mmCIF file of all heavy atoms in Angstrom:
data_model
loop_
_atom_site.group_PDB
_atom_site.id
_atom_site.type_symbol
_atom_site.label_atom_id
_atom_site.label_comp_id
_atom_site.label_asym_id
_atom_site.label_seq_id
_atom_site.Cartn_x
_atom_site.Cartn_y
_atom_site.Cartn_z
ATOM 1 N N ALA Z 39 320.122 149.493 136.694
ATOM 2 C CA ALA Z 39 320.672 149.582 138.052
ATOM 3 C C ALA Z 39 320.244 150.862 138.747
ATOM 4 O O ALA Z 39 320.029 151.886 138.102
ATOM 5 C CB ALA Z 39 322.202 149.568 137.973
ATOM 6 N N PRO Z 40 320.164 150.803 140.088
ATOM 7 C CA PRO Z 40 319.982 152.056 140.821
ATOM 8 C C PRO Z 40 321.266 152.870 140.737
ATOM 9 O O PRO Z 40 322.358 152.337 140.931
ATOM 10 C CB PRO Z 40 319.723 151.588 142.258
ATOM 11 C CG PRO Z 40 320.367 150.232 142.350
ATOM 12 C CD PRO Z 40 320.298 149.642 140.974
ATOM 13 N N MET Z 41 321.133 154.165 140.433
ATOM 14 C CA MET Z 41 322.317 155.029 140.352
ATOM 15 C C MET Z 41 322.004 156.347 141.050
ATOM 16 O O MET Z 41 321.357 157.227 140.489
ATOM 17 C CB MET Z 41 322.718 155.250 138.893
ATOM 18 C CG MET Z 41 323.165 153.955 138.206
ATOM 19 S SD MET Z 41 323.825 154.210 136.557
ATOM 20 C CE MET Z 41 322.326 154.415 135.606
ATOM 21 N N ALA Z 42 322.471 156.434 142.302
ATOM 22 C CA ALA Z 42 322.200 157.632 143.100
ATOM 23 C C ALA Z 42 323.041 158.805 142.614
ATOM 24 O O ALA Z 42 324.012 158.621 141.887
ATOM 25 C CB ALA Z 42 322.504 157.340 144.568
ATOM 26 N N PRO Z 45 321.598 160.153 138.209
ATOM 27 C CA PRO Z 45 321.266 159.380 137.002
ATOM 28 C C PRO Z 45 319.939 158.624 137.050
ATOM 29 O O PRO Z 45 319.195 158.631 136.076
ATOM 30 C CB PRO Z 45 322.458 158.427 136.854
ATOM 31 C CG PRO Z 45 323.596 159.161 137.482
ATOM 32 C CD PRO Z 45 322.987 159.910 138.642
ATOM 33 N N ALA Z 64 316.779 155.216 142.933
ATOM 34 C CA ALA Z 64 317.926 155.239 143.855
ATOM 35 C C ALA Z 64 317.567 156.120 145.042
ATOM 36 O O ALA Z 64 317.381 157.327 144.894
ATOM 37 C CB ALA Z 64 319.144 155.790 143.122
ATOM 38 N N ASN Z 90 316.241 151.256 145.817
ATOM 39 C CA ASN Z 90 317.529 150.898 146.420
ATOM 40 C C ASN Z 90 317.880 151.885 147.534
ATOM 41 O O ASN Z 90 317.671 153.083 147.392
ATOM 42 C CB ASN Z 90 318.618 150.950 145.336
ATOM 43 C CG ASN Z 90 320.021 150.781 145.890
ATOM 44 O OD1 ASN Z 90 320.731 151.754 146.093
ATOM 45 N ND2 ASN Z 90 320.406 149.549 146.134
ATOM 46 N N PHE Z 92 321.030 152.810 150.626
ATOM 47 C CA PHE Z 92 322.346 152.562 151.231
ATOM 48 C C PHE Z 92 322.092 152.081 152.659
ATOM 49 O O PHE Z 92 321.571 152.847 153.486
ATOM 50 C CB PHE Z 92 323.165 153.848 151.322
ATOM 51 C CG PHE Z 92 323.515 154.507 150.011
ATOM 52 C CD1 PHE Z 92 323.846 155.857 149.977
ATOM 53 C CD2 PHE Z 92 323.562 153.795 148.817
ATOM 54 C CE1 PHE Z 92 324.195 156.488 148.789
ATOM 55 C CE2 PHE Z 92 323.908 154.417 147.618
ATOM 56 C CZ PHE Z 92 324.224 155.766 147.608
ATOM 57 N N THR Z 152 322.690 148.184 149.425
ATOM 58 C CA THR Z 152 324.122 148.130 149.157
ATOM 59 C C THR Z 152 324.843 148.791 150.323
ATOM 60 O O THR Z 152 324.223 149.429 151.168
ATOM 61 C CB THR Z 152 324.452 148.821 147.813
ATOM 62 O OG1 THR Z 152 325.822 148.558 147.475
ATOM 63 C CG2 THR Z 152 324.239 150.335 147.875
ATOM 64 N N THR Z 174 323.220 143.529 147.472
ATOM 65 C CA THR Z 174 324.450 143.548 146.675
ATOM 66 C C THR Z 174 325.574 142.870 147.453
ATOM 67 O O THR Z 174 325.800 143.184 148.627
ATOM 68 C CB THR Z 174 324.864 145.000 146.357
ATOM 69 O OG1 THR Z 174 323.794 145.609 145.651
ATOM 70 C CG2 THR Z 174 326.127 145.043 145.513
ATOM 71 N N GLN Z 195 327.990 141.752 142.343
ATOM 72 C CA GLN Z 195 328.619 142.914 141.707
ATOM 73 C C GLN Z 195 330.129 142.687 141.612
ATOM 74 O O GLN Z 195 330.801 142.504 142.633
ATOM 75 C CB GLN Z 195 328.318 144.166 142.540
ATOM 76 C CG GLN Z 195 328.784 145.465 141.912
ATOM 77 C CD GLN Z 195 328.810 146.608 142.918
ATOM 78 O OE1 GLN Z 195 329.326 146.444 144.024
ATOM 79 N NE2 GLN Z 195 328.259 147.739 142.551
ATOM 80 N N ALA Z 198 334.321 145.424 138.160
ATOM 81 C CA ALA Z 198 334.219 146.184 136.905
ATOM 82 C C ALA Z 198 333.107 147.225 136.964
ATOM 83 O O ALA Z 198 333.029 148.114 136.111
ATOM 84 C CB ALA Z 198 333.957 145.227 135.743
ATOM 85 N N ALA Z 199 332.236 147.125 137.975
ATOM 86 C CA ALA Z 199 331.045 147.980 138.057
ATOM 87 C C ALA Z 199 331.399 149.450 138.222
ATOM 88 O O ALA Z 199 332.353 149.813 138.920
ATOM 89 C CB ALA Z 199 330.172 147.537 139.241
ATOM 90 N N GLY Z 200 330.567 150.301 137.624
ATOM 91 C CA GLY Z 200 330.713 151.736 137.818
ATOM 92 C C GLY Z 200 330.127 152.150 139.150
ATOM 93 O O GLY Z 200 329.255 151.491 139.694
ATOM 94 N N GLY Z 201 330.608 153.258 139.674
ATOM 95 C CA GLY Z 201 330.093 153.776 140.933
ATOM 96 C C GLY Z 201 330.638 153.015 142.128
ATOM 97 O O GLY Z 201 331.605 152.248 142.015
ATOM 98 N N HIS Z 202 329.979 153.225 143.274
ATOM 99 C CA HIS Z 202 330.460 152.603 144.509
ATOM 100 C C HIS Z 202 330.377 151.088 144.470
ATOM 101 O O HIS Z 202 329.386 150.530 144.013
ATOM 102 C CB HIS Z 202 329.617 153.076 145.700
ATOM 103 C CG HIS Z 202 329.974 154.437 146.175
ATOM 104 N ND1 HIS Z 202 329.110 155.495 146.135
ATOM 105 C CD2 HIS Z 202 331.126 154.919 146.701
ATOM 106 C CE1 HIS Z 202 329.704 156.573 146.610
ATOM 107 N NE2 HIS Z 202 330.927 156.247 146.955
ATOM 108 N N ALA Z 235 325.986 142.035 138.034
ATOM 109 C CA ALA Z 235 326.274 143.458 137.789
ATOM 110 C C ALA Z 235 327.771 143.684 137.696
ATOM 111 O O ALA Z 235 328.556 143.081 138.435
ATOM 112 C CB ALA Z 235 325.701 144.302 138.924
ATOM 113 N N GLY Z 236 328.147 144.569 136.787
ATOM 114 C CA GLY Z 236 329.556 144.972 136.712
ATOM 115 C C GLY Z 236 330.126 144.859 135.325
ATOM 116 O O GLY Z 236 330.445 143.761 134.866
ATOM 117 N N GLY Z 237 330.208 145.986 134.623
ATOM 118 C CA GLY Z 237 330.876 146.015 133.317
ATOM 119 C C GLY Z 237 330.059 145.425 132.192
ATOM 120 O O GLY Z 237 330.587 145.235 131.093
ATOM 121 N N LEU Z 238 328.785 145.145 132.426
ATOM 122 C CA LEU Z 238 327.949 144.530 131.375
ATOM 123 C C LEU Z 238 327.444 145.642 130.449
ATOM 124 O O LEU Z 238 326.632 146.466 130.864
ATOM 125 C CB LEU Z 238 326.780 143.760 131.997
ATOM 126 C CG LEU Z 238 327.190 142.627 132.949
ATOM 127 C CD1 LEU Z 238 325.954 141.961 133.550
ATOM 128 C CD2 LEU Z 238 328.052 141.595 132.235
ATOM 129 N N VAL Z 256 322.232 143.256 135.397
ATOM 130 C CA VAL Z 256 322.003 144.616 135.888
ATOM 131 C C VAL Z 256 322.988 145.544 135.188
ATOM 132 O O VAL Z 256 324.189 145.303 135.238
ATOM 133 C CB VAL Z 256 322.236 144.684 137.419
ATOM 134 C CG1 VAL Z 256 321.976 146.091 137.942
ATOM 135 C CG2 VAL Z 256 321.379 143.663 138.148
ATOM 136 N N VAL Z 257 322.458 146.583 134.538
ATOM 137 C CA VAL Z 257 323.352 147.498 133.822
ATOM 138 C C VAL Z 257 323.178 148.920 134.329
ATOM 139 O O VAL Z 257 322.067 149.387 134.546
ATOM 140 C CB VAL Z 257 323.131 147.445 132.290
ATOM 141 C CG1 VAL Z 257 323.399 146.054 131.759
ATOM 142 C CG2 VAL Z 257 321.735 147.887 131.888
ATOM 143 N N GLY Z 258 324.282 149.590 134.529
ATOM 144 C CA GLY Z 258 324.241 150.961 135.005
ATOM 145 C C GLY Z 258 324.894 151.918 134.023
ATOM 146 O O GLY Z 258 324.229 152.697 133.333
ATOM 147 N N THR Z 259 326.200 151.810 133.917
ATOM 148 C CA THR Z 259 326.980 152.753 133.110
ATOM 149 C C THR Z 259 326.456 152.911 131.690
ATOM 150 O O THR Z 259 326.417 154.023 131.160
ATOM 151 C CB THR Z 259 328.448 152.271 133.074
ATOM 152 O OG1 THR Z 259 328.945 152.272 134.417
ATOM 153 C CG2 THR Z 259 329.317 153.169 132.217
ATOM 154 N N VAL Z 260 326.026 151.802 131.082
ATOM 155 C CA VAL Z 260 325.620 151.850 129.680
ATOM 156 C C VAL Z 260 324.353 152.710 129.490
ATOM 157 O O VAL Z 260 324.024 153.092 128.366
ATOM 158 C CB VAL Z 260 325.454 150.400 129.148
ATOM 159 C CG1 VAL Z 260 324.142 149.775 129.602
ATOM 160 C CG2 VAL Z 260 325.616 150.332 127.650
ATOM 161 N N LEU Z 262 323.989 155.670 131.266
ATOM 162 C CA LEU Z 262 324.248 157.017 131.805
ATOM 163 C C LEU Z 262 324.064 158.145 130.795
ATOM 164 O O LEU Z 262 323.805 159.281 131.174
ATOM 165 C CB LEU Z 262 325.677 157.089 132.383
ATOM 166 C CG LEU Z 262 325.877 156.426 133.741
ATOM 167 C CD1 LEU Z 262 327.364 156.397 134.113
ATOM 168 C CD2 LEU Z 262 325.088 157.148 134.817
ATOM 169 N N HIS Z 273 329.462 165.049 133.215
ATOM 170 C CA HIS Z 273 329.631 163.600 133.311
ATOM 171 C C HIS Z 273 329.336 162.952 131.950
ATOM 172 O O HIS Z 273 330.095 162.111 131.456
ATOM 173 C CB HIS Z 273 328.696 163.070 134.404
ATOM 174 C CG HIS Z 273 328.965 161.663 134.835
ATOM 175 N ND1 HIS Z 273 328.256 161.058 135.842
ATOM 176 C CD2 HIS Z 273 329.830 160.705 134.400
ATOM 177 C CE1 HIS Z 273 328.681 159.816 136.011
ATOM 178 N NE2 HIS Z 273 329.630 159.574 135.138
ATOM 179 N N TRP Z 340 331.663 158.645 137.805
ATOM 180 C CA TRP Z 340 331.430 157.206 137.995
ATOM 181 C C TRP Z 340 331.252 156.521 136.633
ATOM 182 O O TRP Z 340 330.471 156.972 135.786
ATOM 183 C CB TRP Z 340 330.206 156.931 138.829
ATOM 184 C CG TRP Z 340 330.145 157.383 140.255
ATOM 185 C CD1 TRP Z 340 328.999 157.638 140.952
ATOM 186 C CD2 TRP Z 340 331.215 157.590 141.188
ATOM 187 N NE1 TRP Z 340 329.300 157.993 142.250
ATOM 188 C CE2 TRP Z 340 330.643 157.972 142.420
ATOM 189 C CE3 TRP Z 340 332.610 157.495 141.120
ATOM 190 C CZ2 TRP Z 340 331.406 158.260 143.559
ATOM 191 C CZ3 TRP Z 340 333.369 157.791 142.242
ATOM 192 C CH2 TRP Z 340 332.772 158.154 143.435
ATOM 193 N N ALA Z 341 331.946 155.421 136.454
ATOM 194 C CA ALA Z 341 331.862 154.684 135.183
ATOM 195 C C ALA Z 341 332.409 153.286 135.373
ATOM 196 O O ALA Z 341 333.445 153.092 136.021
ATOM 197 C CB ALA Z 341 332.671 155.401 134.095
ATOM 198 N N GLY Z 342 331.707 152.304 134.796
ATOM 199 C CA GLY Z 342 332.205 150.939 134.784
ATOM 200 C C GLY Z 342 333.141 150.737 133.598
ATOM 201 O O GLY Z 342 333.275 151.618 132.733
ATOM 202 N N THR Z 343 333.743 149.563 133.569
ATOM 203 C CA THR Z 343 334.764 149.316 132.538
ATOM 204 C C THR Z 343 334.174 149.352 131.118
ATOM 205 O O THR Z 343 334.912 149.562 130.169
ATOM 206 C CB THR Z 343 335.439 147.951 132.766
ATOM 207 O OG1 THR Z 343 334.406 146.951 132.833
ATOM 208 C CG2 THR Z 343 336.249 147.924 134.057
HETATM 209 C C1 FMN B 21 326.570 156.696 138.528
HETATM 210 C C2 FMN B 21 326.355 155.427 139.330
HETATM 211 C C3 FMN B 21 325.687 155.498 140.540
HETATM 212 C C4 FMN B 21 325.443 154.320 141.268
HETATM 213 N N1 FMN B 21 324.703 154.390 142.419
HETATM 214 C C5 FMN B 21 324.314 153.237 143.042
HETATM 215 C C6 FMN B 21 323.375 153.266 144.109
HETATM 216 O O1 FMN B 21 322.856 154.296 144.494
HETATM 217 N N2 FMN B 21 323.050 152.079 144.686
HETATM 218 C C7 FMN B 21 323.564 150.884 144.253
HETATM 219 O O2 FMN B 21 323.209 149.840 144.801
HETATM 220 N N3 FMN B 21 324.448 150.840 143.250
HETATM 221 C C8 FMN B 21 324.820 151.979 142.621
HETATM 222 N N4 FMN B 21 325.664 151.915 141.533
HETATM 223 C C9 FMN B 21 326.148 150.616 141.087
HETATM 224 C C10 FMN B 21 325.106 149.974 140.175
HETATM 225 O O3 FMN B 21 323.973 149.611 140.928
HETATM 226 C C11 FMN B 21 325.642 148.723 139.446
HETATM 227 O O4 FMN B 21 326.188 147.815 140.360
HETATM 228 C C12 FMN B 21 326.673 149.101 138.422
HETATM 229 O O5 FMN B 21 326.271 150.216 137.682
HETATM 230 C C13 FMN B 21 326.891 147.928 137.473
HETATM 231 O O6 FMN B 21 328.047 148.099 136.714
HETATM 232 P P1 FMN B 21 328.113 148.932 135.339
HETATM 233 O O7 FMN B 21 328.020 150.361 135.769
HETATM 234 O O8 FMN B 21 329.436 148.600 134.791
HETATM 235 O O9 FMN B 21 326.950 148.525 134.504
HETATM 236 C C14 FMN B 21 325.931 153.077 140.798
HETATM 237 C C15 FMN B 21 326.603 153.034 139.576
HETATM 238 C C16 FMN B 21 326.813 154.170 138.842
HETATM 239 C C17 FMN B 21 327.523 154.081 137.510
#
Side-chain angles (χ1 to χ4, degrees):
M41 295 187 282
N90 172 261
F92 297 159
T152 189
T174 301
Q195 186 196 47
H202 282 117
L238 301 178
V256 181
V257 299
T259 298
V260 78
L262 284 172
H273 193 177
W340 297 155
T343 54

